[in-house]
Amino acid sequence: MELFQLLRDGTPRTRAQLAKSTGLARSTIAARVEELMRMGLIMPVADAASTGGRPPSQFALNPSARVVLAVDIGASHTTVAVVDLTGAILTKRSEPIPVAEGPVPVLTWMVDTAAALLEESGRDIRSLVAIGMGVPGPVEHSTGQPVNPPIMPGWDRFDVPGWVQQHLEVPVLVDNDVNIMALGERAAAWPTTSHLMFVKVATGIGAGVISGGELQRGAQGVAGDIGHVQVARGSDVPCHCGNRGCLEALASGPAIARALREKGVDAQDGNDVIALVKRGNIDAIQAVRQAGRDIGEVLTACVSLMNPSVIALGGSMARVGEHLIAGVREVVYTRSMPLATEHLAIVPSAAAENAAVVGAGMLAIEHALSPEAFHSLAG
């Protein structure tokens, strides 16, 4: 319904404003407003300009009319949240359940936890309208199935939406974790920004790309896979993908730890690197800064190609703070065309550890509130 799509942004509007925006007759507007209120999807909002006992004459989206589930399945943890129609997290739970346990154990915990959280938040299962999920591997967008995910044993071509829908009969949308992080970052900090890149630096490196206000998945769902772009400095460094010199083999958490071990510094993984940086270890700080430069080298090409106005850095290695970002900025601002970087912000993620779960919620909300799905809201 056109009227509902207009009111989705949460901005209160009068019947007259709705009529002007849609071109519909006042009588038609009145009837549709009445219908949307009966469904609970919109609610009256007090008119600040009115005085006396006049009833409210403005209407806006009712955020609590329905809820969605947001699910972040990570390499070592799984998080489930109940989210309202504005993307606000009502309640959430996270457990150290690794994705390597396989789809059935992880998804069984997810479904059981979802039921408990819905009850905890006082919501009936009938108020649930969609589920958004992020997984740490490539996803075929049309089916929601993971495809050859390197760190997800047992998940290849597993029908995630089909399995979940046997227990929760609502639309299930699945995407790569970095894509939903990009959606979450935009919702949390840059809602009016149409061109944004989210770069996750952790055990691996990847990017979520929003261009023209839309998430760009590419032809096979691997748009933004910058971790396997070759960096000249590491031409002899092997990568687990089978090539040499990949950005991920030089600048990920494990790669930085390996470089430090070669210098005699005890660092087994990314967490050790972060701890060393926070203690002021010069070798660790310089290694992180170099990783930032390597990432910046690849991002310079992305800036020329995509011309984003924001590059946000997240993932576990972003916890090393300004040292990583300083390296990225040093290269991108030096090598990119001045016009491309004049208004380019390279910043730490504002959504931080909530980026994925917020993005999963937005994925579900965008589907649930779309014109195509409106009939299910009416049910």
Side-chain angles (χ1 to χ4, degrees):
M1 185 185 285
E2 184 185 0
L3 198 64
F4 179 63
Q5 295 304 313
L6 198 62
L7 289 164
R8 271 183 55 184
D9 64 3
T11 302
R13 293 176 176 84
T14 63
R15 290 183 181 88
Q17 288 170 328
L18 291 168
K20 185 177 180 182
S21 297
T22 61
L24 297 171
R26 289 288 290 270
S27 57
T28 305
I29 292 289
R32 292 188 180 174
V33 163
E34 192 65 34
E35 183 187 357
L36 288 168
M37 285 184 62
R38 178 184 55 75
M39 292 162 59
L41 292 173
I42 66 171
M43 59 185 182
V45 179
D47 185 347
S50 68
T51 55
R54 198 162 66 108
S57 58
Q58 295 189 118
F59 304 90
L61 174 72
N62 176 10
S64 60
R66 305 286 191 276
V67 293
V68 301
L69 284 176
V71 183
D72 170 26
I73 298 174
S76 58
H77 73 281
T78 301
T79 303
V80 179
V82 177
V83 176
D84 74 13
L85 293 181
T86 64
I89 295 172
L90 304 179
T91 181
K92 73 171 181 174
R93 189 170 300 161
S94 188
E95 292 285 341
I97 299 173
V99 72
E101 284 196 14
V104 173
V106 173
L107 296 176
T108 299
W109 178 86
M110 182 218 107
V111 167
D112 292 345
T113 301
L117 290 178
L118 285 167
E119 187 176 340
E120 187 181 295
S121 57
R123 304 305 300 237
D124 189 287
I125 191 74
R126 287 172 296 184
S127 68
L128 179 65
V129 289
I131 300 171
M133 300 176 65
V135 297
V139 174
E140 184 178 70
H141 181 61
S142 60
T143 64
Q145 296 177 5
V147 182
N148 297 323
I151 63 164
M152 298 173 66
W155 291 79
D156 185 30
R157 289 292 175 186
F158 186 85
D159 184 7
V160 176
W163 193 96
V164 173
Q165 284 171 329
Q166 291 174 19
H167 305 269
L168 299 166
E169 297 177 13
V170 294
V172 178
L173 299 102
V174 186
D175 210 329
N176 170 265
D177 59 350
V178 191
N179 282 347
I180 64 166
M181 285 175 163
L183 293 175
E185 182 69 19
R186 184 177 186 233
W190 309 91
T192 60
T193 297
S194 297
H195 304 277
L196 174 147
M197 285 187 70
F198 184 96
V199 181
K200 178 187 178 185
V201 187
T203 305
I205 297 176
V209 180
I210 293 173
S211 184
E214 299 289 332
L215 186 64
Q216 303 299 316
R217 295 182 175 90
Q220 304 299 328
V222 291
D225 189 9
I226 62 171
H228 298 286
V229 174
Q230 190 178 44
V231 177
R233 188 179 72 85
S235 58
D236 59 336
V237 180
C239 179
H240 63 81
C241 75
N243 287 325
R244 291 179 178 273
C246 292
L247 177 63
E248 200 167 283
L250 289 175
S252 64
I256 299 170
R258 187 195 67 241
L260 286 172
R261 287 197 304 276
E262 289 171 358
K263 285 191 164 190
V265 180
D266 183 19
Q268 298 306 311
D269 56 23
N271 289 330
D272 289 346
V273 175
I274 293 164
L276 285 165
V277 169
K278 289 185 173 175
R279 290 203 299 269
N281 181 282
I282 296 298
D283 287 330
I285 289 170
Q286 288 180 341
V288 165
R289 179 98 178 210
Q290 181 57 52
R293 292 188 193 102
D294 292 334
I295 294 166
E297 187 175 322
V298 173
L299 289 180
T300 298
C302 297
V303 166
S304 294
L305 190 66
M306 304 301 301
N307 189 204
S309 50
V310 174
I311 296 176
L313 274 80
S316 59
M317 292 308 298
R319 302 206 310 272
V320 294
E322 286 297 311
H323 299 297
L324 186 73
I325 286 185
V328 173
R329 288 173 175 158
E330 180 186 328
V331 174
V332 172
Y333 288 143
T334 302
R335 296 197 190 167
S336 297
M337 294 295 287
L339 185 61
T341 55
E342 186 180 3
H343 301 293
L344 172 63
I346 302 175
V347 295
S349 166
E353 68 272 8
N354 280 329
V357 78
V358 171
M362 297 313 298
L363 193 66
I365 290 165
E366 282 301 316
H367 175 82
L369 300 187
S370 67
E372 298 76 28
F374 183 80
H375 65 278
S376 65
L377 287 176

